[in-house]
Amino acid sequence: TIGMIAIDKNGNISAGTSTNGLSHKVPGRVGDSPLMGAGSYAMNGAGGAACTGDGDIMMRFLPSFQAVMMMKSGMEPSLALKAAMAPIIQYYPSFFGAMIAVSSNGTFAAVCHGYKTFPFCVASPSFHEVKVLKVQC
Amino acid sequence: SQYLPIVINTWFVSNATNAAWEELTVHGGSAVDAVVAGCSQCEASQCRGTVGFGGDPDENGETTLDAMIMDGYFDSLPPVAALRMVKPAIAVARAVMDYTEHTLLVGDQASLFAKDMGFTVETLTTNKSYIDWKNWIDNKCQPNFRQNVIPNPKTSCGPYKPKERIEQHLNNRMNFGISPNNHD
């Protein structure tokens, strides 16, 4: 799966996913990626979030929607992601999954569970080229 | 904000990030254009084997694709799921956004729509996915996600039928205390 969020210079936000579900989706069935609020979610003025990992578990909590709603209420992306991830970890402590989020002003974060670290990419005026960053899980 | 525009994506697939960033900063595309460009690049290059054609084969040996694109002012929410025989899944989702008022298009409907919109119909199977499927068949279709069916899904391939016990159980439930007079 790839989950991606873009914010243009006018602050319009878009989120999207694409997957063939190689590692977690039941082959031939629908996974979490195309489900709004599960695979990804975007709201102008609030931010965008996207997920990857064991979608059959993550989708039950609509984590992308949760994270965007938290950012809409003013939470920083990293806290919003932790809050969205918390119930999943509580009910499925052995699941694998990761999330990214960016708020409408361009601050971003990533969170993960079940992996050691989780890599993600960012391109913005803060970096001269695309950056591959890692977050500790 | 000094931090805009911005593109962020999961995993280390920086070519996809680059494609989205160029769409935003070089081609003057919108945020939706950027996400479609980035994810399309990932599909075409089969990022990490988990995006694009040639993924896990289903019980018939076919690969399906899921994708969604969403804009931040909600005027269209067009995911596609279990898309078969069409490779550029997120572009199909974008076409649903541009040419319909649909929300979720799934399976054959999604494929038929894509064909109408001029997308190429072609197999999503690769040598690897075909070999994976053949190996799965040779391994008595293990693992699979079936339960409560016959023959025993842990030792045999299908086609499967529901186990009688479930039907009996349903019948029992159906007869228990429910009548036209106390059930709408």
Side-chain angles (χ1 to χ4, degrees), chain A residues 5 15 39-42 47-51 63-65 67-68 71 81 99-102:
Chain A
I5 303 135
S40 72
Y41 198 77
C51 290
S64 296
F65 174 74
V68 171
M71 288 190 285
L81 286 175
M99 294 183 67
I100 54 173
V102 55

Side-chain angles (χ1 to χ4, degrees), chain A residues 1-37 39-45 50-53 56 98-110 115 118-128 130-132, chain B residues 1-18 20-21 24 28-39 42-43 47-59 62-74 77-82 84 89-90 103-104 106 128 132 145-146:
Chain A
T1 301
I2 178 168
M4 179 176 276
I5 303 135
I7 305 180
D8 64 23
K9 58 184 182 297
N10 304 317
N12 293 310
I13 304 173
S14 177
T17 59
S18 183
T19 186
N20 61 24
L22 182 68
S23 31
H24 291 292
K25 181 166 85 80
V26 171
R29 305 289 184 267
V30 175
D32 69 319
S33 295
L35 305 182
M36 275 82 66
S40 72
Y41 198 77
M43 178 184 285
N44 276 11
C51 290
T52 187
D56 280 340
M99 294 183 67
I100 54 173
V102 55
S103 66
S104 56
N105 65 9
T107 51
F108 60 89
Y115 307 106
F118 175 72
F120 62 101
C121 294
V122 181
S124 86
S126 310
F127 309 111
H128 295 296
V130 172
K131 271 287 190 209
V132 179
Chain B
S1 161
Q2 60 180 334
Y3 302 119
L4 296 182
I6 186 168
V7 171
I8 181 174
N9 61 265
T10 54
W11 302 107
F12 41 77
V13 292
S14 52
N15 289 345
T17 327
N18 216 29
W21 181 248
L24 271 180
S30 66
V32 168
D33 296 331
V35 172
V36 172
C39 290
C42 211
E43 289 169 352
C47 289
R48 305 179 46 247
T50 69
V51 181
F53 61 100
D56 244 358
D58 66 8
E59 293 174 348
E62 278 186 85
T63 294
T64 63
L65 302 175
D66 296 344
M68 73 168 283
I69 179 71
M70 175 173 181
D71 58 33
Y73 34 87
F74 310 128
L77 298 164
V80 292
R84 297 172 189 266
I90 199 161
T103 46
L104 190 57
V106 181
K128 179 182 177 311
D132 286 349
F145 295 89
R146 301 297 189 126

Side-chain angles (χ1 to χ4, degrees), chain A residues 31-90:
Chain A
D32 69 319
S33 295
L35 305 182
M36 275 82 66
S40 72
Y41 198 77
M43 178 184 285
N44 276 11
C51 290
T52 187
D54 190 344
D56 280 340
I57 290 187
M58 298 181 85
M59 73 162 77
R60 303 169 198 201
F61 300 87
L62 295 182
S64 296
F65 174 74
Q66 291 284 355
V68 171
M69 287 303 108
M70 302 281 179
M71 288 190 285
K72 184 174 184 308
S73 64
M75 219 182 261
E76 280 294 312
S78 58
L79 291 178
L81 286 175
K82 284 189 176 78
M85 208 48 130
I88 307 174
I89 295 169
Q90 177 191 349

Side-chain angles (χ1 to χ4, degrees), chain B residues 158-169:
Chain B
Y160 302 107
K161 288 190 181 320
K163 260 185 185 171
E164 202 171 337
R165 182 178 57 80
I166 282 191
E167 281 170 5
Q168 189 60 42
H169 175 66

